Amino acid sequence: MRSKKGLKVFVDAYLLNKEPQGTVTYLKGLYTAVTRQNPDIDFYFGCIEQVELEEFKSLENVHFILYKDLSRVNRMLYEIPKLIEQYSFDFAHFQYVIPLKKYKKCVYI
């Protein structure tokens, strides 16, 4: 594993585009704290459409990746595994399920 500097974390944050509920509140709270405490780690949030969150506006270590496919099944089977490989993420955080196809260099949460 790399040193802390240069780590890249992917978050399947499609829920940030949904109406507020428990998991949305959890994601916002968790990553508001973690992104601010770890400015040397890059966080990439996968979303269905652009999300404007005040919590992340001033942070240079927060990036958004817009999904091309609206189908959750297609994203989990094809798009997300391809993104993880393309960006060489060190960690990938999911809610509920993780993709079937995994890359050994990435830790899945």
Side-chain angles (χ1 to χ4, degrees), residues 19-79:
E19 61 191 48
Q21 43 96 349
T23 305
V24 173
T25 303
Y26 168 77
L27 281 175
K28 283 183 184 178
L30 173 66
Y31 285 104
T32 295
V34 172
T35 55
R36 290 181 191 287
Q37 292 171 4
N38 297 282
D40 51 346
I41 298 176
D42 282 315
F43 294 87
Y44 292 79
F45 294 87
C47 297
I48 296 169
E49 56 192 47
Q50 188 62 42
V51 178
E52 297 295 329
L53 296 173
E54 288 296 321
E55 298 90 346
F56 301 132
K57 278 196 175 187
S58 64
L59 301 176
E60 292 183 15
N61 63 331
V62 172
H63 315 278
F64 289 92
I65 298 172
L66 297 182
Y67 293 132
K68 292 177 175 58
D69 202 320
L70 295 179
S71 165
R72 178 133 170 86
V73 172
N74 287 342
R75 285 195 313 268
M76 294 303 278
L77 287 175
Y78 308 109
E79 187 171 7

